[in-house]
Amino acid sequence: MHMNSIETDQSTTLQYVHWFRHSAPYINAHRGKTFVIMFDGEAVQHANFQHIIHDIALLHSLDIRLILVHGARPQIDQNLKTSGIVTPFHNHRRVTTRESLSAIMNAAGSIRLQIEALLSMGLANSPMYGARIDVISGNLVTAKPYGIRDGVDFQLSGEVRSIDTDAIQRHLESQNIVLLGPAGYSTTGEVFNLLSEEVATKTAISLKADKLIFLGKGHGLMNEHGSLQREVAPHQLDEHILQYQDANPDIALHLRGAKTASLQGVNRVHLISYEEDGALLEELFTRDGSGTMITDAHYEEVRMANIQDVGGLINLLRPLEEEGILVYRSRERLENEIDHFAVIERDGTILACAALYPIPVTDGELRSAEIACVAVHPSYRKSNRGSQILHFLEERAKGLNIQQLFILTTRTAHWFLEQGFEQASVDDLPNARQALYNYQRNSLVCKKPL
């Protein structure tokens, strides 16, 4: 019993050390960067919110410059209900009447105070112990009336006119966290009720933020198979916006903001869950993350290969085969197996390739596949194209309901371990693949559960 406890402690410690080592590159990469993090009123009410605040304090301690943007819809609804005030909606946007403004601003103000109080906690035995965090808010957002749309006067509902980026940058340079809410001020001194999603989006664009993060109810975007889409291009969001337009307009607002920000210079937009403890840290400090990232990075597209690619594949593979890194494949074999290959091509040159081979399994064995023939052109080895094509085939494998992936390698096991594979043995291979194992090559076996 005692020995099992020691082994468990050692295992937990090794897992922690492994995670910490692999998070170090992300810690270095994020230092000094500017992140805008938006969460709605439902997130503030959720039991996990105090953990989110602790994680935000941790990001601050790692020298990440933070602008927090909060919503307040359920709190506003409750205030209005208590006051007996009804505000109409049009196209999922509240018409802010003059009599409702006080209740709306009170709700937003109380959330601001709540967040400031949580960030001020320096309690012993909590992640906030010893933290000194100054939170700044104020008239940093200038607004204008939303006006009359479809014949409807939105009164004191507004939209963002401008963001005081100079003042925000000064606060960030002074090691402050900046806190914005769903309110803006006009040049004539009026207060307007704004969409917090729009405030976050316009702030991220104006500041040229490195990341815009939406904390929502879901874990991110799902594909047609119900699997999480870890990376999406902005132009792919339109179908999801239509899907959520009426069913969940809050998510549609997040997606619209994500698309706008991504197309206007925010390199990375993230959709993650406010309900999942640690989702923010997992998204920022692990390779796979916890949600969906939207990026307009102009990668060459990964695609499945066709028969016209055989010549380019041979040019890419022959030098690696001659070094003994890859097993020799004849032109005839490549032609026969071309449907298994994915490639990245630029201007007629194959820059990277990899193949996915399903493995026949018997009853009781997990549905398995092997990723083989991973190769990147020598001029592009320092790019992320290997990771990109591997990720593409992992998603394809999930679509085929594959439960685990294997790779066999003689030279590059460390790279696959960095991509989330773990070392395995020949005995872990399905029987059909064990029978074909070449003991002369003595390849290392790695596996990854999907």
Side-chain angles (χ1 to χ4, degrees):
M1 190 76 172
H2 180 62
M3 286 300 295
N4 286 342
S5 175
I6 292 172
E7 288 171 4
T8 301
D9 290 344
Q10 288 175 334
S11 174
T12 303
T13 301
L14 286 172
Q15 286 176 356
Y16 169 76
V17 169
H18 176 81
W19 178 86
F20 197 74
R21 284 173 178 160
H22 282 77
S23 67
Y26 298 100
I27 294 171
N28 291 325
H30 297 330
R31 185 176 291 117
K33 297 299 196 296
T34 300
F35 296 178
V36 177
I37 302 176
M38 186 265 155
F39 44 83
D40 54 26
E42 285 85 356
V44 176
Q45 292 177 332
H46 196 271
N48 190 47
F49 188 66
Q50 64 173 339
H51 296 137
I52 291 172
I53 290 292
H54 290 158
D55 291 345
I56 285 169
L58 176 58
L59 299 184
H60 178 71
S61 74
L62 294 172
D63 290 333
I64 295 170
R65 297 149 58 103
L66 298 172
I67 300 99
L68 310 182
V69 183
H70 71 82
R73 285 190 198 99
Q75 292 85 349
I76 289 171
D77 290 341
Q78 184 56 51
N79 272 14
L80 292 174
K81 184 178 179 181
T82 302
S83 304
I85 298 171
V86 176
T87 55
F89 279 79
H90 183 68
N91 287 338
H92 306 297
R93 187 184 286 257
R94 191 188 305 273
V95 175
T96 306
T97 59
R98 196 162 291 279
E99 68 164 348
S100 70
L101 187 64
S102 175
I104 289 171
M105 292 301 104
N106 283 342
S110 67
I111 289 177
R112 191 192 80 204
L113 291 171
Q114 180 184 348
I115 293 168
E116 289 175 349
L118 285 169
L119 281 168
S120 299
M121 288 192 312
L123 301 178
N125 301 320
S126 88
M128 303 287 286
Y129 180 64
R132 166 69 182 173
I133 300 173
D134 290 319
V135 188
I136 302 294
S137 53
N139 57 339
L140 300 168
V141 179
T142 302
K144 60 184 179 182
Y146 192 63
I148 298 171
R149 310 284 178 107
D150 302 327
V152 175
D153 184 355
F154 280 84
Q155 302 182 49
L156 293 176
S157 292
E159 57 184 336
V160 175
R161 181 189 292 274
S162 64
I163 305 293
D164 190 345
T165 53
D166 290 341
I168 291 175
Q169 292 287 18
R170 285 197 301 273
H171 293 313
L172 295 175
E173 285 162 10
S174 300
Q175 309 300 311
N176 300 315
I177 289 179
V178 174
L179 178 61
L180 305 176
Y185 305 88
S186 75
T187 51
T188 57
E190 281 191 297
V191 183
F192 286 96
N193 179 27
L194 307 177
L195 291 174
S196 51
E197 293 84 359
E198 185 190 355
V199 173
T201 301
K202 291 290 180 70
T203 300
I205 293 168
S206 300
L207 285 170
K208 297 181 173 60
D210 299 282
K211 289 184 184 292
L212 169 59
I213 300 168
F214 288 104
L215 291 170
K217 191 172 178 62
H219 290 273
L221 297 175
M222 303 294 171
N223 62 19
E224 65 271 21
H225 304 293
S227 300
L228 180 67
Q229 291 182 273
R230 298 198 179 276
E231 191 171 311
V232 172
H235 65 83
Q236 295 174 302
L237 292 175
D238 290 336
E239 59 184 282
H240 295 285
I241 292 170
L242 283 173
Q243 174 190 342
Y244 287 111
Q245 182 64 57
D246 296 315
N248 197 322
D250 288 356
I251 294 179
L253 283 170
H254 288 185
L255 298 182
R256 278 206 192 88
K259 180 181 178 183
T260 300
S262 187
L263 292 175
Q264 294 189 39
V266 180
N267 290 331
R268 300 285 187 271
V269 184
H270 301 261
L271 308 173
I272 58 177
S273 170
Y274 64 71
E275 296 181 323
E276 181 185 346
D277 188 12
L280 183 58
L281 300 183
E282 187 180 350
E283 180 71 7
L284 294 175
F285 298 106
T286 67
R287 188 184 67 85
D288 287 337
S290 67
T292 297
M293 181 174 72
I294 294 99
T295 177
D296 194 32
H298 295 288
Y299 297 129
E300 298 87 3
E301 186 178 356
V302 185
R303 61 172 173 81
M304 295 307 293
N306 57 56
I307 199 70
Q308 284 77 33
D309 295 317
V310 170
L313 282 173
I314 289 172
N315 290 337
L316 178 64
L317 298 176
R318 283 297 179 262
L320 296 168
E321 292 169 352
E322 288 165 5
E323 285 185 61
I325 295 172
L326 294 179
V327 174
Y328 174 77
R329 283 172 168 80
S330 65
R331 174 181 285 271
E332 183 181 16
R333 181 179 173 187
L334 282 171
E335 289 176 354
N336 288 336
E337 297 181 355
I338 195 69
D339 290 342
H340 294 291
F341 277 80
V343 296
I344 298 176
E345 174 212 354
R346 180 200 280 176
D347 300 332
T349 299
I350 303 296
L351 303 185
C353 73
L356 179 72
Y357 296 97
I359 301 171
V361 293
T362 55
D363 290 344
E365 292 184 326
L366 294 176
R367 288 189 296 277
S368 303
E370 179 182 353
I371 287 182
C373 210
V374 180
V376 179
H377 190 282
S379 301
Y380 297 89
R381 295 263 165 85
K382 291 185 178 179
S383 71
N384 69 341
R385 288 175 179 82
S387 302
Q388 196 183 344
I389 203 163
L390 184 65
H391 177 69
F392 176 85
L393 288 181
E394 284 179 12
E395 293 300 313
R396 183 172 175 83
K398 288 176 187 174
L400 297 171
N401 294 318
I402 300 296
Q403 294 170 288
Q404 61 181 354
L405 291 174
F406 289 92
I407 62 98
L408 281 74
T409 180
T410 57
R411 304 274 190 96
T412 55
H414 64 282
W415 184 81
F416 287 101
L417 296 177
E418 289 170 3
Q419 308 304 314
F421 281 76
E422 59 193 42
Q423 198 157 339
S425 70
V426 177
D427 293 337
D428 292 316
L429 291 167
N431 290 329
R433 186 62 183 87
Q434 281 188 45
L436 299 173
Y437 182 79
N438 184 341
Y439 283 92
Q440 282 187 310
R441 276 184 69 81
N442 197 26
S443 299
L444 285 170
V445 178
C446 299
K447 72 174 181 178
K448 183 175 186 177
L450 296 181

